Amino acid sequence: MRTRRRAAGVALALAAASHLFVVPSSAVAQAQGGIVLPVRSHWQTLADSRHVYVSAPGDDAVVATDHDGQVVKKVEGLDGARGMAESADESTLYVALPEADAIAVIDTATLTETRRISTGADTQPESLALAGGRLFFGYQATVFDAGIGSVDIAEATPTVTLDDHPVWSGKPRLASSPGAPDRLVAAESQGALGMRVYDVRSGTLQETAYSDAVADVEDVAVTPDGSTVITANGSTYYHQRWRLPDLTEVSQYDTGPYPNSVAVDSHGTVAAGIVAGGEWDVHVYRPGETAAYRTVALSPGYADLLARGLAWAPDGNRLFTTRFPYSGEVVLDVVTDIAKASSTITLSAPPTNPVGTPVTVTGKLTSMVPFPKRRTVTVTRSGVELPDVKVKRDGTFSFSDTPPDWNTYPQYTVTYAGDDRHVPGTATVMVEFVPSPVVGGTSGTESGPRPDHRFAAAH
């Protein structure tokens, strides 16, 4: 096989077209919570049993934090750091350096670069994955085509092999799993259709399956048993799950627009992320289920989950997310109660009600996980506390209230405080109180059914 070369100007143009996130310097809003990282760009978030790693292309760095989000070290001098992969024993972190046409080898104990492997002039490696005892990387092979190269990392002086017959439009997203150690999955990253499965046990790419049912993949993850692969494609309103090795679509996760991240923990729990402006950014699914038991809102109105911005602690007890809070920063959030389910409250009330007469609000508390037998919700009217309300076994509840005459637009807020298996939930509804109809006249407003107001808490 041979190295493909191209002009430096084309290399820069293609690099600019790839999926790189750099925070605009004009962003002014303040970050809401989370850990502000000492970088202003992001390409991937990865976690192991000790650290969380965030690659920052615009900063030529990888930031390492502990599981509480506290920065341990910023590894600098990593030219355009993008894709990352880690050895099975967590001793070595590999980082793609497109601006150096190389891959950095980092000792995770000391968090220092110990070696740099050249991938060839103008290759600009990006996504990385370990399979078949080799390190595979997506790279730009020609002016118009991208390919998949590999490094024999077992050798004292690693041998780099490049693609003789590149078939990709953009540098493909790569993924693998310990459950199928000789299998590599690759998906198109820039507009074109295509996902392929390779058998790599011989050290070369032997294509075993192809599908044209997916395109422009932002993120891809293989489940720990190696039986399925999940893709995040921004042009769909759901994440897709595909059977391996034949790439038959087996299910969809209805996450909504626009999928950009996916991560699977060691038990098979799926975290699927979307661009939601801080509202319902992450949907979490138990193995084999397609109804989310938990949704996570990072910071409503203040953040976008970043592409490839999800990572699990290996034991599944923590979920790490990276977001852009419109403030010129990259923020890491640590979700420590991720095993808890969401508490969803729906409320219904009449749109109008005569002043001086009680209004009745009805609601329902639901979850994918059963609640304790005895539970209550708290109620406030425009910040004024009202008596707690008991929730029935079927999750329904109701209360009546007559506000002061002056409070003609009260907002009722109902909150469930959470428990050992559920995060808190809250919902609000507003009722307009109008003058009572004139007896014998035709003035006044009749009350009627009000559409449900739904709000699912996910903290």
Side-chain angles (χ1 to χ4, degrees):
M1 297 188 180
R2 60 185 181 279
T3 302
R4 309 280 182 161
R5 298 179 178 271
R6 56 198 165 93
V10 175
L12 290 174
L14 288 171
S18 63
H19 294 228
L20 162 65
F21 173 83
V22 178
V23 181
S25 59
S26 59
V28 294
Q30 295 300 307
Q32 303 294 305
I35 307 297
V36 177
L37 300 178
V39 292
R40 300 173 69 86
S41 59
H42 172 274
W43 203 86
Q44 183 184 354
T45 301
L46 178 73
D48 61 20
S49 61
R50 295 171 297 167
H51 297 127
V52 181
Y53 303 101
V54 175
S55 61
D59 301 82
D60 296 333
V62 167
V63 175
T65 78
D66 62 20
H67 279 196
D68 293 322
Q70 300 304 309
V71 175
V72 177
K73 187 175 182 180
K74 179 180 179 182
V75 186
E76 300 183 279
L78 303 177
D79 308 68
R82 295 200 184 189
M84 297 181 289
E86 191 173 35
S87 60
D89 63 2
E90 300 186 356
S91 66
T92 305
L93 179 71
Y94 300 95
V95 184
L97 309 180
E99 294 178 11
D101 294 325
I103 296 172
V105 181
I106 295 175
D107 183 328
T108 59
T110 61
L111 294 174
T112 57
E113 183 179 353
T114 60
R115 174 187 291 177
R116 184 165 294 197
I117 304 168
S118 173
T119 53
D122 299 330
T123 50
Q124 299 187 0
E126 193 168 79
S127 182
L128 302 180
L130 287 158
R134 301 177 72 89
L135 175 66
F136 290 86
F137 58 94
Y139 75 100
Q140 201 65 44
T142 71
V143 173
F144 302 106
D145 301 307
I148 300 174
S150 68
V151 181
D152 189 343
I153 53 177
E155 296 179 342
T157 303
T159 300
V160 175
T161 303
L162 297 180
D163 202 336
D164 234 357
H165 302 287
V167 297
W168 303 92
S169 294
K171 288 179 277 190
R173 306 278 184 249
L174 306 181
S176 60
S177 168
D182 296 322
R183 182 181 296 154
L184 179 71
V185 179
E188 277 286 3
S189 65
Q190 292 184 17
L193 298 170
M195 182 161 58
R196 291 176 168 84
V197 179
Y198 298 99
D199 186 322
V200 297
R201 73 188 66 195
S202 66
T204 61
L205 297 170
Q206 303 296 321
E207 184 176 319
T208 60
Y210 171 77
S211 173
D212 61 0
V214 66
D216 200 18
V217 171
E218 288 278 15
D219 202 6
V220 58
V222 179
T223 53
D225 62 1
S227 66
T228 56
V229 59
I230 303 168
T231 54
N233 174 1
S235 63
T236 64
Y237 283 22
Y238 48 83
H239 287 63
Q240 294 167 281
R241 189 178 189 121
W242 313 82
R243 186 175 64 205
L244 293 174
D246 61 0
L247 290 180
T248 299
E249 185 177 1
V250 292
S251 60
Q252 297 177 353
Y253 300 97
D254 293 327
T255 49
Y258 299 95
N260 71 350
S261 300
V262 61
V264 188
D265 75 1
S266 59
H267 308 293
T269 306
V270 175
I274 61 176
V275 180
E279 299 179 357
W280 320 133
D281 305 86
V282 185
H283 299 246
V284 188
Y285 304 85
R286 291 192 185 89
E289 297 181 358
T290 56
Y293 78 86
R294 174 75 179 275
T295 54
V296 179
L298 297 181
S299 185
Y302 290 96
D304 275 332
L305 177 70
L306 294 168
R308 299 167 299 279
L310 292 177
W312 285 98
D315 60 10
N317 288 331
R318 295 188 179 205
L319 179 67
F320 307 101
T321 73
T322 38
R323 57 183 167 96
F324 165 42
Y326 314 144
S327 57
E329 300 155 334
V330 173
V331 173
L332 175 70
D333 292 288
V334 182
V335 186
T336 58
D337 60 358
I338 195 62
K340 291 187 177 183
S342 293
S343 303
T344 303
I345 299 175
T346 57
L347 296 177
S348 182
T352 60
N353 198 76
V355 172
T357 62
V359 62
T360 297
V361 178
T362 61
K364 190 170 186 178
L365 174 65
T366 60
S367 176
M368 292 292 293
V369 174
F371 287 99
K373 291 183 179 180
R374 294 179 178 84
R375 56 195 182 277
T376 60
V377 292
T378 60
V379 181
T380 61
R381 181 214 318 122
S382 301
V384 176
E385 293 185 4
L386 301 180
D388 291 351
V389 177
K390 292 183 179 180
V391 179
K392 298 179 181 178
R393 286 191 175 185
D394 63 359
T396 61
F397 59 88
S398 65
F399 62 91
S400 297
D401 178 57
T402 305
D405 291 349
W406 56 266
N407 197 345
T408 56
Y409 291 93
Q411 177 174 284
Y412 292 96
T413 300
V414 177
T415 301
Y416 179 66
D419 54 59
D420 290 344
R421 302 179 68 189
H422 300 84
V423 293
T426 189
T428 61
V429 65
M430 184 175 290
V431 180
E432 178 185 4
F433 279 77
V434 298
S436 299
V438 177
V439 177
T442 58
S443 63
T445 303
E446 295 182 359
S447 62
R450 182 181 182 89
D452 282 355
H453 293 253
R454 302 180 185 274
F455 183 94
H459 301 288

